[in-house]
Amino acid sequence: MLAFASPEKVLEESMNIPSQAIPNYLYKNQGDLYFKDISIQAGIDQPSFSNGMAYGDLDNDGDLDLVINNIDQEAFIYENQSLKDDNHGYLSIELKGEKNNSSGVGSRIEIKTKSGKQYKDQMPVRGFQSTSSAIIHFGLGQSEKVDTIMVRWPDGSISHTFNVGANKRIIIDKKDAVIASTVKDDDTQKLFEYIKETNTILDFTHKENAFDDFEKQVLLPHKMSQFGPAMAIADFNKDGRDDIFFGGSSGNVAMLYFQDKSGKFIPQKNELFEKHKLYEGVDAVAFDFDGDNDLDLYVVSGGNEFEPGNLNYKDRLYINNGKGSFIDGSNLLPKNIASGSTVKAVDFDMDGDLDLFVGTRHLPHNYPLSQGSFIYENVDGRFEDVTADMAPELAKAGMVTDAVWVDINNDKKLDLVMVGEWMEPWVMLQDSNGKFTRKLNEELGLSNMSGWWFSIEKGDIDGDGDMDLILGNLGNNYKYQATEEYPFKVFAKDFNSSGSMDIVLSYPQDGNYYPVRGKQCSSEQLPELKKKYKDYNSFAKADVKTIYSDLGLINALELSISTFSSYILQNDNGHFKKLKLPNYAQISSINDILIDDFDGDGAKEILLAGNLYASEVETTRNDASYGCVISFDKNIENISALKLSESGLFIKGDCKMIGKIKIDKVNYLVSALNNDHVSLHRYYTKSEINE
């Protein structure tokens, strides 16, 4: 059973002084992320203005009681009477720590019973101005004893206790703990080694420009101007060493670095980069556009800083003179001006030159509308937009974030697969005439896969000769949750004809959908709501239909998400088997993916990186990921996610792109972070580790 002084539907309102008191609520976990309001039968529906709650076994009877503090009113104390009505067991554990941490804060406690395992972290401080009891409480159900108790203390030492009967409180003292029998990190070479002195090798820091997206759309779920930098790794000056390009945020110059003989990266000046510094570079690809055996550069311009149609959203083509000096070839591009997201180069028509897919993310200041995506064909030294003829469905593709060219069905023709925000994966198969048609997801085994996808990568990871896919989503450790039965939704429309797109993020409860955001910020978006709802309580009780039906909700754009999980899609001759990534890979959003045999053992690994720092102010940012290595057996069995302590991978920050690079003939991973310094990791093959 879960308890909240103010549930999600009124939490936001309780942070602002309401015109009248609102009741407290108690929710019962119904499973599948669905909670039932049982406030009335629990007897805690007293009106109040509460700003804190704590729980603990106040009467030592084995269940958790509640204390709720109120402004200008006495505190509420609720006795939990659940154990008076049934015979469920419990176990209370008191940790006795050291002098400066007497309650063992930061410890993890694991218990095992015949029913399974339970975990709890000793972290009694929760929510706003609330500290609960430091006594750890486990409900045991019908179990009469606990087989094993393991406490992992903050310093890594471990305490074990065995065969403890139910319905009691025990004390576990740290002085009895033993040091875990692990090899010191200094004696063990991990797959990845974090380079602390990165700036002595590659001194680049991305600086995000200041722009308030929420001034344009108050209820944006996250900023749309914070998805750089672009990164492209290639030998631009043809000296046999990898160089690197980074796109700049709007107002900051893009940077090109050449690697010298000593393995250091030297910044190169280019007047074009200075001239184009108002453009925001969010993706880039190095490719030989003109067939002269040097690598040219296509840079996608994105962001949200300018009005739709502004020339600063135009993509750029930089043509290499053979020595890494670029001239502007943007006049060889179509005239499309859209806030972009991704570019992928490939010779899809097999005529000997490289063509492009260019994805666009959104219509600036009009989230979640998009502007369609494009296919550019390389024709006689310039690019032509052939979308309307070859892939007309791309005009309605949605908020594309990433894509891959891949032969899905082994017909020797390259197909196009896209992912994006509020999108299902889009699979567009190329026919014998070179045209692309969307394949229905139901026919591919990809039903109910709408998500907030940030990344996609291809690779034959099961070794059966066809290409599998890995899709990076928002993750399951975020404020927003979604299931097939209870999807997360957004309704979008200019409800009051003000000229701006209004957004209503919505979550399900009791068969209805309620706004995620409350009366205060919703009224900033639509001032009409102030007159319609005079107090916070009435708005908190109203669902989306009640609030917006008279404003034309029936005609609003409605988009749904059925999963925030990230997946491996195992290809079986054009039909996919969905394999959810391990929990450790679901703790944050995944922005980029690499597939390679990093350790040289003949089996490929999947490397993931991400986070999302651009969340709106009421939602905690996604920042739990430090990167993740996925390993698996043949046929993608026994999938496991290696943690930092196992892999050595430590990508701290809002990572947007990762790439492999050779520095002085040594393998490195380079990570491009938003508004932060680039990071480097050396990675080792197993033969190097064993030397």
Side-chain angles (χ1 to χ4, degrees):
M1 191 172 290
L2 296 180
F4 298 89
S6 299
E8 188 173 5
K9 71 179 182 181
V10 293
L11 179 59
E12 183 174 331
E13 279 61 51
S14 71
M15 295 303 176
N16 304 279
I17 298 177
S19 56
Q20 66 184 57
I22 59 176
N24 293 297
Y25 291 80
L26 186 68
Y27 281 77
K28 185 175 183 180
N29 189 344
Q30 299 291 94
D32 292 329
L33 306 173
Y34 180 65
F35 297 90
K36 180 180 179 182
D37 184 355
I38 59 168
S39 310
I40 296 177
Q41 56 263 47
I44 67 163
D45 59 334
Q46 296 172 265
S48 66
F49 182 41
S50 306
N51 72 337
M53 185 198 77
Y55 55 83
D57 187 0
L58 301 182
D59 50 6
N60 294 320
D61 66 349
D63 50 29
L64 296 176
D65 310 299
L66 296 177
V67 179
I68 300 173
N69 66 309
N70 306 299
I71 292 178
D72 293 331
Q73 190 178 1
E74 70 277 6
F76 296 157
I77 300 178
Y78 294 99
E79 180 186 0
N80 188 341
Q81 298 183 342
S82 61
L83 288 186
K84 292 181 172 62
D85 302 323
D86 57 47
N87 60 350
H88 290 172
Y90 74 93
L91 179 68
S92 296
I93 299 175
E94 179 181 350
L95 297 184
K96 188 174 181 181
E98 297 174 314
K99 179 179 180 181
N100 294 326
N101 186 10
S102 59
S103 297
V105 172
S107 302
R108 166 160 287 195
I109 302 93
E110 173 190 323
I111 70 168
K112 295 180 182 179
T113 67
K114 64 179 182 180
S115 300
K117 296 180 182 180
Q118 293 188 60
Y119 300 87
K120 284 195 177 180
D121 292 330
Q122 175 64 309
M123 194 60 64
V125 179
R126 304 276 183 173
F128 179 66
Q129 295 185 352
S130 301
T131 299
S132 295
S133 170
I135 307 299
I136 297 100
H137 180 91
F138 289 97
L140 301 182
Q142 301 299 318
S143 297
E144 298 179 354
K145 70 172 184 176
V146 176
D147 298 322
T148 305
I149 304 170
M150 183 182 76
V151 179
R152 186 179 294 276
W153 301 86
D155 64 359
S157 59
I158 295 176
S159 299
H160 280 105
T161 308
F162 303 97
N163 297 321
V164 178
N167 304 321
K168 63 175 64 174
R169 177 187 292 184
I170 66 170
I171 298 175
I172 298 179
D173 197 325
K174 187 182 183 302
K175 70 180 183 180
D176 299 321
V178 296
I179 301 298
S181 56
T182 58
V183 181
K184 293 182 179 179
D185 288 343
D186 292 342
D187 297 333
T188 303
Q189 180 63 61
K190 306 293 193 302
L191 174 58
F192 289 92
E193 177 188 0
Y194 175 61
I195 307 301
K196 295 181 180 179
E197 301 82 15
T198 292
N199 61 343
T200 64
I201 301 172
L202 175 57
D203 191 10
F204 171 76
T205 299
H206 177 262
K207 297 179 180 179
E208 185 60 66
N209 61 295
F211 180 75
D212 186 3
D213 299 58
F214 305 107
E215 184 180 340
K216 301 296 181 181
Q217 290 183 282
V218 176
L219 302 186
L220 274 176
H222 52 73
K223 296 174 71 174
M224 301 301 295
S225 63
Q226 201 166 313
F227 288 109
M231 181 175 70
I233 300 169
D235 180 7
F236 290 110
N237 59 358
K238 300 179 70 173
D239 65 353
R241 293 184 287 271
D242 284 340
D243 309 309
I244 190 164
F245 168 84
F246 295 103
S249 63
S250 183
N252 293 287
V253 180
M255 295 296 297
L256 175 66
Y257 293 84
F258 288 169
Q259 184 181 170
D260 67 13
K261 294 179 180 179
S262 69
K264 292 184 179 180
F265 287 84
I266 310 302
Q268 306 298 305
K269 291 185 178 181
N270 189 297
E271 293 181 359
L272 280 178
F273 297 164
E274 179 67 35
K275 179 181 177 182
H276 294 162
K277 72 177 184 179
L278 286 180
Y279 297 73
E280 178 140 333
V282 296
D283 196 16
V285 62
F287 69 125
D288 187 2
F289 147 72
D290 47 12
D292 62 354
N293 296 316
D294 58 25
L295 293 174
D296 310 299
L297 188 64
Y298 187 103
V299 183
V300 177
S301 300
N304 197 38
E305 288 85 347
F306 308 100
E307 295 294 329
N310 191 291
L311 288 175
N312 289 328
Y313 290 123
K314 184 171 177 58
D315 293 346
R316 290 150 283 158
L317 176 64
Y318 297 118
I319 301 175
N320 195 340
N321 68 357
K323 298 180 181 179
S325 179
F326 295 98
I327 61 174
D328 192 357
S330 300
N331 62 317
L332 303 177
L333 299 177
K335 294 183 179 180
N336 295 324
I337 301 173
S339 180
S341 57
T342 187
V343 58
K344 302 296 178 181
V346 75
D347 183 11
F348 73 84
D349 53 6
M350 304 297 183
D351 65 351
D353 53 28
L354 291 173
D355 313 296
L356 298 173
F357 167 76
V358 178
T360 67
R361 191 171 195 134
H362 73 300
L363 180 64
H365 308 168
N366 286 273
Y367 183 99
L369 298 186
S370 60
Q371 295 178 273
S373 294
F374 309 99
I375 292 179
Y376 294 165
E377 184 179 2
N378 192 338
V379 180
D380 298 328
R382 62 184 306 116
F383 286 104
E384 294 183 4
D385 182 357
V386 296
T387 311
D389 180 52
M390 304 189 71
E393 291 171 290
L394 282 179
K396 299 180 180 179
M399 300 180 64
V400 173
T401 56
D402 201 4
V404 291
W405 291 101
V406 55
D407 183 3
I408 290 293
N409 52 5
N410 290 319
D411 64 353
K412 308 302 180 184
K413 291 185 177 296
L414 288 172
D415 310 305
L416 179 64
V417 185
M418 299 168 290
V419 295
E421 284 190 56
W422 301 101
M423 284 179 58
E424 292 185 342
W426 270 52
V427 178
M428 301 193 74
L429 299 182
Q430 184 180 180
D431 64 21
S432 58
N433 297 317
K435 297 182 183 295
F436 294 85
T437 304
R438 187 182 178 193
K439 182 82 169 177
L440 293 178
N441 281 8
E442 290 77 8
E443 299 175 19
L444 296 164
L446 299 178
S447 301
N448 301 305
M449 287 286 286
S450 57
W452 263 12
W453 306 107
F454 291 109
S455 55
I456 182 172
E457 190 53 89
K458 64 182 178 182
D460 182 11
I461 58 178
D462 57 2
D464 65 352
D466 55 22
M467 284 294 174
D468 310 298
L469 301 174
I470 295 86
L471 276 61
N473 210 340
L474 179 71
N476 298 327
N477 191 29
Y478 202 67
K479 174 179 176 179
Y480 310 141
Q481 300 291 321
T483 65
E484 179 182 342
E485 185 178 3
Y486 302 107
F488 185 70
K489 292 188 177 184
V490 64
F491 300 89
K493 181 183 177 180
D494 184 0
F495 287 107
N496 57 357
S497 301
S498 64
S500 63
M501 181 61 61
D502 304 313
I503 305 166
V504 185
L505 295 170
S506 309
Y507 67 95
Q509 184 174 302
D510 294 331
N512 298 315
Y513 274 82
Y514 292 85
V516 169
R517 309 293 294 277
K519 178 178 183 292
Q520 179 66 37
C521 50
S522 295
S523 299
E524 290 180 30
Q525 178 178 259
L526 290 174
E528 293 85 348
L529 297 180
K530 292 181 179 179
K531 297 180 180 179
K532 188 174 181 179
Y533 295 93
K534 302 296 185 181
D535 57 71
Y536 290 80
N537 192 29
S538 59
F539 185 90
K541 292 180 178 179
D543 63 14
V544 169
K545 288 183 179 179
T546 303
I547 298 169
Y548 294 97
S549 58
D550 60 342
L551 296 172
L553 180 67
I554 193 172
N555 297 318
L557 173 67
E558 179 180 342
L559 300 173
S560 299
I561 288 175
S562 56
T563 181
F564 284 117
S565 300
S566 298
Y567 283 88
I568 295 173
L569 303 182
Q570 187 176 12
N571 190 353
D572 181 12
N573 197 29
H575 191 272
F576 291 97
K577 177 183 178 181
K578 296 185 288 186
L579 303 171
K580 188 180 292 187
L581 289 176
N583 286 339
Y584 186 68
Q586 308 285 359
I587 62 174
S588 193
S589 48
I590 297 173
N591 298 330
D592 205 3
I593 304 167
L594 288 178
I595 303 173
D596 201 355
D597 180 10
F598 289 96
D599 58 10
D601 67 349
K604 292 180 179 178
E605 293 82 36
I606 302 172
L607 191 62
L608 311 172
N611 289 329
L612 177 66
Y613 280 24
S615 305
E616 50 86 12
V617 66
E618 294 177 8
T619 300
T620 304
R621 71 188 189 184
N622 241 6
D623 61 3
S625 174
Y626 293 96
C628 178
V629 178
I630 304 293
S631 64
F632 38 82
D633 294 345
K634 191 176 181 180
N635 298 322
I636 320 182
E637 296 177 350
N638 298 319
I639 303 172
S640 62
L642 304 183
K643 299 180 181 179
L644 188 159
S645 59
E646 299 168 300
S647 69
L649 188 63
F650 180 69
I651 306 174
K652 183 180 181 180
D654 193 4
C655 183
K656 299 305 181 186
M657 291 192 174
I658 51 177
K660 298 178 294 180
I661 190 169
K662 288 274 191 180
I663 302 178
D664 196 20
K665 300 181 180 180
V666 176
N667 293 319
Y668 284 85
L669 176 77
V670 57
S671 305
L673 310 176
N674 182 273
N675 204 36
D676 206 344
H677 196 283
V678 67
S679 75
L680 285 174
H681 288 76
R682 181 178 177 182
Y683 62 92
Y684 296 82
T685 65
K686 285 198 171 182
S687 60
E688 290 175 306
I689 292 174
N690 293 329
E691 288 179 357

Short mmCIF file of all heavy atoms in Angstrom, two decimals, residues 5-6 14-15 24 48-53 68-71 127-130:
data_model
loop_
_atom_site.label_atom_id
_atom_site.label_comp_id
_atom_site.label_asym_id
_atom_site.label_seq_id
_atom_site.Cartn_x
_atom_site.Cartn_y
_atom_site.Cartn_z
N ALA A 5 0.55 12.36 0.99
CA ALA A 5 -0.19 13.46 1.58
C ALA A 5 -1.01 14.17 0.51
O ALA A 5 -2.11 14.61 0.74
CB ALA A 5 0.76 14.45 2.24
N SER A 6 -0.48 14.26 -0.69
CA SER A 6 -1.21 14.81 -1.83
C SER A 6 -0.84 13.99 -3.04
O SER A 6 0.32 13.91 -3.39
CB SER A 6 -0.83 16.27 -2.08
OG SER A 6 -1.14 17.06 -0.96
N SER A 14 -1.08 21.59 -4.40
CA SER A 14 -0.74 21.77 -3.00
C SER A 14 0.52 22.58 -2.80
O SER A 14 0.82 23.00 -1.70
CB SER A 14 -0.59 20.41 -2.31
OG SER A 14 0.57 19.76 -2.76
N MET A 15 1.30 22.81 -3.89
CA MET A 15 2.47 23.66 -3.79
C MET A 15 2.10 25.14 -3.89
O MET A 15 2.93 26.01 -3.73
CB MET A 15 3.47 23.29 -4.88
CG MET A 15 4.04 21.89 -4.73
SD MET A 15 4.81 21.64 -3.14
CE MET A 15 5.24 19.91 -3.25
N ASN A 24 -6.66 14.86 1.98
CA ASN A 24 -5.54 13.96 1.72
C ASN A 24 -6.07 12.69 1.06
O ASN A 24 -7.26 12.42 1.06
CB ASN A 24 -4.81 13.62 3.02
CG ASN A 24 -4.11 14.82 3.60
OD1 ASN A 24 -3.22 15.36 2.99
ND2 ASN A 24 -4.53 15.24 4.79
N SER A 48 -7.31 19.63 4.48
CA SER A 48 -6.19 20.31 5.15
C SER A 48 -5.31 20.94 4.08
O SER A 48 -5.54 20.75 2.89
CB SER A 48 -5.37 19.31 5.97
OG SER A 48 -4.74 18.39 5.10
N PHE A 49 -4.33 21.69 4.54
CA PHE A 49 -3.28 22.16 3.63
C PHE A 49 -1.98 21.56 4.14
O PHE A 49 -1.33 22.07 5.04
CB PHE A 49 -3.22 23.68 3.60
CG PHE A 49 -2.18 24.21 2.63
CD1 PHE A 49 -2.02 23.62 1.39
CD2 PHE A 49 -1.38 25.28 2.97
CE1 PHE A 49 -1.07 24.08 0.50
CE2 PHE A 49 -0.43 25.75 2.08
CZ PHE A 49 -0.27 25.16 0.84
N SER A 50 -1.63 20.41 3.58
CA SER A 50 -0.51 19.61 4.07
C SER A 50 0.74 19.88 3.25
O SER A 50 0.66 20.07 2.04
CB SER A 50 -0.84 18.12 3.99
OG SER A 50 -2.05 17.84 4.66
N ASN A 51 1.88 19.89 3.89
CA ASN A 51 3.13 20.07 3.14
C ASN A 51 4.21 19.10 3.56
O ASN A 51 5.38 19.30 3.27
CB ASN A 51 3.65 21.51 3.27
CG ASN A 51 4.20 21.82 4.65
OD1 ASN A 51 3.84 21.15 5.61
ND2 ASN A 51 5.06 22.82 4.74
N GLY A 52 3.83 18.01 4.21
CA GLY A 52 4.82 17.00 4.56
C GLY A 52 4.16 15.76 5.12
O GLY A 52 3.07 15.83 5.70
N MET A 53 4.82 14.63 4.92
CA MET A 53 4.29 13.37 5.44
C MET A 53 5.45 12.46 5.81
O MET A 53 6.48 12.48 5.15
CB MET A 53 3.41 12.67 4.39
CG MET A 53 2.73 11.42 4.93
SD MET A 53 2.14 10.33 3.62
CE MET A 53 3.68 9.59 3.12
N ILE A 68 0.99 13.42 9.23
CA ILE A 68 0.89 14.45 8.19
C ILE A 68 0.85 15.80 8.88
O ILE A 68 0.01 16.04 9.75
CB ILE A 68 -0.36 14.25 7.32
CG1 ILE A 68 -0.33 12.88 6.64
CG2 ILE A 68 -0.50 15.36 6.29
CD1 ILE A 68 -1.61 12.54 5.90
N ASN A 69 1.77 16.70 8.49
CA ASN A 69 1.78 18.02 9.10
C ASN A 69 1.03 19.02 8.22
O ASN A 69 1.00 18.89 6.99
CB ASN A 69 3.20 18.51 9.37
CG ASN A 69 3.99 18.74 8.11
OD1 ASN A 69 4.04 17.85 7.25
ND2 ASN A 69 4.60 19.90 7.98
N ASN A 70 0.39 20.00 8.84
CA ASN A 70 -0.48 20.93 8.15
C ASN A 70 -0.12 22.37 8.53
O ASN A 70 0.41 22.64 9.61
CB ASN A 70 -1.94 20.67 8.51
CG ASN A 70 -2.34 19.23 8.26
OD1 ASN A 70 -2.27 18.75 7.14
ND2 ASN A 70 -2.73 18.52 9.32
N ILE A 71 -0.45 23.27 7.65
CA ILE A 71 -0.24 24.70 7.91
C ILE A 71 -1.46 25.25 8.64
O ILE A 71 -2.61 25.02 8.21
CB ILE A 71 0.01 25.46 6.60
CG1 ILE A 71 1.36 25.03 6.01
CG2 ILE A 71 -0.02 26.96 6.81
CD1 ILE A 71 1.69 25.69 4.69
N GLY A 127 10.70 13.17 -0.05
CA GLY A 127 9.77 14.25 -0.35
C GLY A 127 10.21 15.59 0.19
O GLY A 127 11.40 15.90 0.29
N PHE A 128 9.23 16.40 0.59
CA PHE A 128 9.47 17.79 0.96
C PHE A 128 9.36 17.95 2.47
O PHE A 128 8.30 17.74 3.06
CB PHE A 128 8.45 18.68 0.25
CG PHE A 128 8.58 20.14 0.57
CD1 PHE A 128 9.71 20.85 0.19
CD2 PHE A 128 7.59 20.81 1.25
CE1 PHE A 128 9.84 22.20 0.48
CE2 PHE A 128 7.70 22.16 1.54
CZ PHE A 128 8.83 22.85 1.15
N GLN A 129 10.44 18.27 3.12
CA GLN A 129 10.48 18.53 4.56
C GLN A 129 9.95 17.35 5.37
O GLN A 129 9.25 17.53 6.37
CB GLN A 129 9.68 19.80 4.90
CG GLN A 129 10.28 21.07 4.31
CD GLN A 129 9.56 22.32 4.74
OE1 GLN A 129 8.51 22.26 5.36
NE2 GLN A 129 10.13 23.47 4.42
N SER A 130 10.28 16.15 4.94
CA SER A 130 9.78 14.97 5.65
C SER A 130 10.90 13.95 5.84
O SER A 130 11.63 13.66 4.91
CB SER A 130 8.64 14.31 4.87
OG SER A 130 7.57 15.20 4.68
#
